Amino acid sequence: DTEVTQTPKHLVMGMTNKKSLKCEQHMGHRAMYWYKQKAKKPPELMFVYSYEKLSINESVPSRFSPECPNSSLLNLHLHALQPEDSALYLCASSQGTSGGVYEQFFGPGTRLTVL
Amino acid sequence: GESVGLHLPTLSVQEGDNSIINCAYSNSASDYFIWYKQESGKGPQFIIDIRSNMDKRQGQRVTVLLNKTVKHLSLQIAATQPGDSAVYFCADQDGRDNYGQNFVFGPGTRLSVLP
């Protein structure tokens, strides 16, 4: 299985809602990532987990809360979002976490709209 | 901080012609580079990579050239096909990044293949 899956595919939420995005991979990868991608822009790194521990937080507002329950799953909890948070949220995974560089495999993304 | 950019935001080519997509990077410590292809509604897909100790790498119908002197990267696609229509991103990684995780994406080039 060489796939990263993300659910839901689309999400519409109000500014007072709480929702979660889910990501799963079964490639045995030990690093997992959340990216945010606005229309016609490149992906921007948000969070990195290495061996289920948060290793990089790119100064993301606290209304985004990541969680890595196990080595195959990555969640992104959303609360009190703003309309400008509407974007495509991409999950990725890679084999290694240190001592080298590793290709990142991306999921299809969740298209989030905040009303 | 480092940044990765592209010279052209859009590129239109005739089917069957060769395509060349360019990328400039500014971080002289970058030592690993990836080209990704992103089709509409999908996550980025790995095309080809190259390390800084190489200046050329070939794949199936694709070639990546690296010129470290001028910090320039290019992706050549031979015999461009309609299925090659997508946005192409280059991404680089700082060799000092011990985690091997933090890639910086360029702004992207949209390739349109004309019939």
Side-chain angles (χ1 to χ4, degrees):
Chain A
D1 186 357
T2 58
E3 195 179 16
V4 176
T5 59
Q6 290 187 244
T7 55
K9 201 169 182 178
H10 300 277
L11 179 62
V12 179
M13 60 186 292
M15 290 190 283
T16 58
N17 292 157
K18 285 186 181 181
K19 297 286 184 183
S20 297
L21 310 184
K22 297 186 184 303
C23 174
E24 192 166 1
Q25 57 88 14
H26 295 288
M27 295 178 277
H29 290 174
R30 304 316 302 262
M32 296 186 77
Y33 312 75
W34 280 116
Y35 286 85
K36 174 182 177 180
Q37 186 177 26
K38 300 284 276 185
K40 300 183 181 179
K41 297 289 185 182
E44 295 177 4
L45 184 66
M46 299 174 72
F47 303 104
V48 182
Y49 272 82
S50 298
Y51 287 92
E52 299 149 51
K53 293 195 185 317
L54 185 64
S55 60
I56 296 177
N57 176 341
E58 291 287 350
S59 303
V60 180
S62 60
R63 58 185 184 268
F64 295 91
S65 175
E67 178 197 20
C68 191
N70 60 55
S71 60
S72 300
L73 294 174
L74 185 67
N75 299 321
L76 186 63
H77 302 298
L78 314 172
H79 174 53
L81 294 194
Q82 304 296 311
E84 59 265 28
D85 295 322
S86 298
L88 181 68
Y89 288 84
L90 293 162
C91 174
S93 70
S94 67
Q95 180 182 3
T97 59
S98 66
V101 289
Y102 301 94
E103 174 195 345
Q104 294 182 10
F105 291 81
F106 283 84
T110 293
R111 176 74 60 190
L112 174 68
T113 302
V114 182
L115 301 176
Chain B
E2 65 270 27
S3 67
V4 182
L6 290 170
H7 296 304
L8 289 172
T10 60
L11 176 66
S12 296
V13 298
Q14 289 292 139
E15 182 178 353
D17 287 352
N18 297 334
S19 303
I20 299 177
I21 301 173
N22 295 305
C23 180
Y25 64 96
S26 59
N27 184 5
S28 57
S30 292
D31 67 352
Y32 181 57
F33 305 85
I34 293 181
W35 279 101
Y36 283 98
K37 172 186 180 183
Q38 187 173 24
E39 296 174 276
S40 181
K42 297 183 179 179
Q45 177 188 3
F46 173 90
I47 301 174
I48 192 168
D49 60 358
I50 188 167
R51 294 182 183 268
S52 59
N53 61 353
M54 304 170 69
D55 53 21
K56 180 178 180 179
R57 189 155 189 236
Q58 287 185 290
Q60 189 174 16
R61 278 201 311 120
V62 294
T63 301
V64 56
L65 299 177
L66 175 63
N67 185 331
K68 295 180 288 292
T69 303
V70 295
K71 300 192 188 72
H72 184 268
L73 194 68
S74 69
L75 176 70
Q76 300 178 0
I77 304 173
T80 312
Q81 302 169 358
D84 295 326
S85 293
V87 177
Y88 290 80
F89 293 102
C90 62
D92 78 312
Q93 197 216 23
D94 192 317
R96 298 163 296 183
D97 176 4
N98 290 329
Y99 286 96
Q101 298 165 340
N102 197 350
F103 283 90
V104 175
F105 282 76
T109 293
R110 178 173 296 281
L111 176 65
S112 296
V113 181
L114 307 173

